[in-house]
Amino acid sequence: MSQLDTLKSELLAAIEGAGTEAALEEIRVSALGKKGSISEQMKTLGKMSPEGRKTMGPALNALKSDVTDAIAARKTVLEESALEARLQSETVDVTLPLRASPVETGRIHPVSQVIDELTAIFADMGFSVAEGPDIETDELNFTALNFPEGHPAREMHDTFFFNPKEDGERLLLRTHTSPVQIRTMRSQQPPTRVIIPGRTYRCDSDQTHTPMFHQVEGLVIDKGSHFGHLKWILEEFCKAFFEVDNIKMRFRPSFFPFTEPSMEVDIQCDRSGGEVKIGEGSDWLEILGCGMVHPNVIRNCGLDPDEYQGFAWGMGIDRIAMLKYGMPDLRDFFDADVRWVQHYGFRPLDLPTLFGGLSS
Ligand code: 2NL
């Protein structure tokens, strides 16, 4: 047997015995690579006599093509058996339950849900939604709202102030959404009917207070708006929001610099069963503050208090969310724990509407 015949039978045996595509590749490189056994033989052709080259040339080319074909054939076999093995091991169980789509696994945060609910209820009564910046001026947050110079809210320990600017003006994080109402009154002619939901900030932190929280305020300005309108709006709101047919409400005299007279509002509830049930029983729960807009505030917005009057109210969104949906600790709202949102959150496609059911 010639040297080439030996090389050929060795290579074909090795190709036949290659168990993986990687092993096959190794054999290909060892035979046909730059320094492979066949390539080395090819290099000797140049130094041969013409007769020697005449017999060795075709013999080497035949060997090269036989080995190339054998490798290709073995490769096909190995690929097919690898595919067969995958098909055997990776079976698809068509009886498994469907995995929920991303739209189904995401959840709406309770604060966003409650803002959507509020908006649906007040939109039905003809209110539009206004928004404004979180960073405000002292003038819009306090002065225009009839806060006197030495009012405690103007102190560093109650409000987040920025460092004073060169001209001495101190910006601040709004402590309520009322500056947006000032902006609204200054920019549009009455009749005005707006609600303003949004983030608000105060230096305060415990189980029921977080430095950032959410408020919704409402404002009505017109020539004949009176306290009776306010009471009706708030009663309709409470019934719709807490999804009860009837609810007793109690208006207690109070004080805010920006309203006169001012009231705090309690709603009927029952605490006997361990949890708070709204619209039943003989206990009271404070939920909001309200009043007739102070004439000074109307004047500060460029309107004549002898021509226009109105009313306003404000309540904590996080607080009414806790009451309606039974979350015990306000701090959980802002911990960004996905498990909490999964537990208390709302399905993204269930938009609150008055006809479709607010929270169902
Ligand atoms: C509360 C009380 C209240 C207002 C907010 C308001 C705004 C303007 C003029 C007059 Cl521009 N009033 N807002 C009025 C009464 C009460 O909030 O306890 N909020 C959590």
Side-chain angles (χ1 to χ4, degrees):
M1 215 194 219
S2 78
Q3 198 196 339
L4 282 194
D5 289 334
T6 317
L7 181 57
K8 179 176 171 177
S9 55
E10 276 173 13
L11 285 174
L12 292 184
I15 290 165
E16 212 43 50
T20 63
E21 288 184 58
L24 188 63
E25 175 63 9
E26 240 171 66
I27 296 165
R28 189 193 65 78
V29 172
S30 79
L32 302 167
K34 248 186 186 164
K35 292 195 171 136
S37 46
I38 297 178
S39 311
E40 291 294 334
Q41 293 279 341
M42 292 283 198
K43 287 180 199 160
T44 64
L45 286 174
K47 292 178 198 128
M48 284 183 188
S49 61
E51 294 79 44
R53 209 179 299 142
K54 229 180 195 167
T55 51
M56 273 305 270
L60 270 174
N61 278 333
L63 171 62
K64 189 177 171 183
S65 109
D66 287 349
V67 168
T68 306
D69 291 350
I71 289 174
R74 183 68 189 153
K75 192 161 187 243
T76 309
V77 170
L78 288 176
E79 278 170 357
E80 276 169 6
S81 66
L83 178 62
E84 187 58 33
R86 270 188 66 189
L87 287 174
Q88 290 295 327
S89 63
E90 295 177 16
T91 50
V92 177
D93 184 352
V94 292
T95 64
L96 282 175
L98 283 179
R99 201 181 291 161
S101 80
V103 146
E104 281 300 305
T105 51
R107 284 290 176 269
I108 302 290
H109 193 285
V111 171
S112 303
Q113 167 77 16
V114 166
I115 291 177
D116 289 347
E117 293 181 15
L118 294 167
T119 305
I121 297 168
F122 285 112
D124 191 54
M125 295 191 243
F127 284 77
S128 52
V129 176
E131 288 182 315
D134 290 17
I135 299 174
E136 271 295 3
T137 59
D138 201 280
E139 202 270 323
L140 283 160
N141 195 79
F142 293 128
T143 314
L145 284 152
N146 202 37
F147 278 76
E149 263 324 307
H151 194 280
R154 290 176 172 249
E155 297 298 321
M156 291 295 285
H157 55 261
D158 280 336
T159 299
F160 293 108
F161 287 97
F162 288 81
N163 291 332
K165 296 197 285 192
E166 268 175 18
D167 61 7
E169 190 192 5
R170 276 190 315 179
L171 292 177
L172 50 83
L173 290 175
R174 66 181 184 192
T175 60
H176 41 198
T177 50
S178 316
V180 188
Q181 288 161 312
I182 301 293
R183 289 170 181 274
T184 307
M185 278 192 272
R186 285 180 179 176
S187 64
Q188 68 187 50
Q189 268 302 109
T192 300
R193 270 183 256 168
V194 281
I195 58 162
I196 296 115
R199 277 190 282 272
T200 47
Y201 306 82
R202 288 183 199 176
C203 295
D204 213 348
S205 191
D206 59 38
Q207 199 188 346
T208 51
H209 297 88
T210 48
M212 189 278 298
F213 58 104
H214 297 83
Q215 221 189 17
V216 60
E217 280 184 80
L219 174 74
V220 172
I221 303 283
D222 205 344
K223 290 186 173 160
S225 309
H226 57 70
F227 210 91
H229 297 143
L230 172 63
K231 287 185 75 175
W232 181 84
I233 287 172
L234 293 178
E235 192 175 328
E236 287 306 304
F237 165 73
C238 287
K239 285 193 289 188
F241 181 75
F242 291 108
E243 300 179 55
V244 292
D245 290 334
N246 278 300
I247 192 164
K248 283 190 193 141
M249 298 180 73
R250 187 167 77 168
F251 289 72
R252 285 179 288 105
S254 182
F255 175 81
F256 303 109
F258 33 77
T259 44
E260 182 59 37
S262 305
M263 304 276 157
E264 271 168 322
V265 181
D266 301 333
I267 52 171
Q268 174 194 16
C269 74
D270 181 8
R271 291 193 182 84
S272 62
E275 61 182 283
V276 185
K277 286 208 192 87
I278 311 272
E280 300 173 27
S282 51
D283 288 329
W284 295 103
L285 184 77
E286 185 187 325
I287 70 152
L288 61 90
C290 64
M292 298 304 294
V293 179
H294 197 291
N296 288 349
V297 176
I298 301 214
R299 200 173 295 115
N300 290 340
C301 296
L303 298 170
D304 178 1
D306 292 326
E307 188 181 3
Y308 290 109
Q309 58 185 16
F311 49 83
W313 68 93
M315 66 188 133
I317 294 178
D318 319 296
R319 190 175 143 70
I320 61 170
M322 287 167 84
L323 282 174
K324 181 168 177 178
Y325 293 111
M327 287 86 95
D329 192 331
L330 178 61
R331 289 167 298 194
D332 293 334
F333 277 63
F334 312 117
D335 272 351
D337 187 332
V338 170
R339 293 166 302 179
W340 186 85
V341 185
Q342 288 288 343
H343 184 77
Y344 287 109
F346 293 83
R347 291 164 56 110
L349 296 178
D350 291 347
L351 288 179
T353 58
L354 288 177
F355 54 87
L358 273 186
S359 62
S360 58

